[in-house]
């Protein structure tokens, strides 16, 4: 089984994903990290050298390579659930949406070098966040809220155990 964590940039997918993987004794994979290793470039470098469309292709092919993985927690980049071809792949995974508020996400991302953050000001990012939420809700099998990562992890573990 693959548990895929989705949500906006800065929502806590990686932190929560590591806690969840530890709790379940699953492997943890950060999809962006996987792409960086494959391409031998950082995400900002991929965007700068080849453009966003190329990055989205890498993202799709990376996601497809995990479709039949076992016991894996996969932290998705914030843009993954947008493309229809990714939505199809996500149907084969158990998807958890980390629903953090825009302000919480913004605090965590505003000083980072994420290409999309660099391209937009705060109000543009807020609109981008709101546009994305629809897609996250569409792909999610479970949504967890709040700031208490430990509680959120427990909630996911509980839910997943009932499914196994
Ligand atoms: C992106 C989110 C990033 C990364 C890339 C594009 C997006 O991942 O994949 O910079 O389109 O939302 P995180 O959500 O892990 O920051």
């Amino acid at each position: 089984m693959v548990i895929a964590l989705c949500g906006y940039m800065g929502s806590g997918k990686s932190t929560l994903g590591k806690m969840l993987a530890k709790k379940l004794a699953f492997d943890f994979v950060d999809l962006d990290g996987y792409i960086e290793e494959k391409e031998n470039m950082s995400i900002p470098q991929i965007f700068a050298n080849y453009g966003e469309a190329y990055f989205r292709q890498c993202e799709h092919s990376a996601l497809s390579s995990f479709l039949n993985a076992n016991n894996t927690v996969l932290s998705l980049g914030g843009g993954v659930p947008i493309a229809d071809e990714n939505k199809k792949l996500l149907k084969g995974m158990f998807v958890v949406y980390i629903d953090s508020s825009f302000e919480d996400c913004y605090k965590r991302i505003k000083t980072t070098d994420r290409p999309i953050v660099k391209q937009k000001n705060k109000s543009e990012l807020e609109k981008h966040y709101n546009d994305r939420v629809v897609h996250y809700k569409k792909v999610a099998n479970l949504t967890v809220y709040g700031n208490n990562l430990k509680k959120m992890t427990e909630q996911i573990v509980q839910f997943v155990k009932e499914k196994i």
Side-chain angles (χ1 to χ4, degrees):
M1 142 184 248
V2 178
I3 304 174
L5 304 182
C6 78
Y8 201 64
M9 295 176 277
S11 57
K13 291 165 293 196
S14 296
T15 312
L16 201 139
K18 284 178 196 153
M19 289 168 70
L20 182 63
K22 201 169 170 196
K23 201 94 201 166
L24 293 168
F26 277 23
D27 291 331
F28 172 77
V29 179
D30 177 81
L31 199 67
D32 281 338
Y34 178 86
I35 296 168
E36 289 181 324
E37 250 179 55
K38 262 208 131 177
E39 296 293 311
N40 206 16
M41 261 181 286
S42 68
I43 303 293
Q45 281 170 335
I46 300 174
F47 270 73
N49 296 339
Y50 298 106
E52 181 171 349
Y54 177 77
F55 171 72
R56 297 301 172 196
Q57 283 172 26
C58 297
E59 211 172 32
H60 177 67
S61 94
L63 182 66
S64 63
S65 65
F66 285 96
L67 196 53
N68 297 312
N70 282 323
N71 298 350
T72 302
V73 175
L74 188 59
S75 170
L76 304 174
V80 169
I82 312 310
D84 284 343
E85 63 265 32
N86 292 342
K87 281 196 179 76
K88 279 184 201 139
L89 292 177
L90 290 173
K91 288 202 169 111
M93 301 179 182
F94 182 80
V95 184
V96 181
Y97 168 33
I98 317 295
D99 185 0
S100 299
S101 72
F102 172 71
E103 288 298 334
D104 282 343
C105 293
Y106 185 68
K107 260 184 248 154
R108 297 188 195 115
I109 61 174
K110 64 180 178 189
T111 55
T112 63
D113 64 353
R114 287 169 169 88
I116 288 173
V117 175
K118 297 223 141 181
Q119 290 160 12
K120 297 183 193 298
N121 63 32
K122 186 176 178 187
S123 70
E124 287 167 338
L125 276 173
E126 188 161 16
K127 183 184 179 308
H128 188 243
Y129 170 98
N130 287 324
D131 292 343
R132 287 262 176 100
V133 166
V134 186
H135 297 273
Y136 299 147
K137 288 189 173 159
K138 210 174 258 175
V139 296
N141 300 103
L142 171 71
T143 298
V144 290
Y145 308 85
N147 282 317
N148 187 334
L149 292 180
K150 207 168 165 211
K151 236 185 187 168
M152 288 153 95
T153 306
E154 289 298 339
Q155 217 181 322
I156 301 169
V157 170
Q158 201 60 38
F159 201 90
V160 167
K161 278 194 176 153
E162 285 163 19
K163 299 264 154 202
I164 293 176

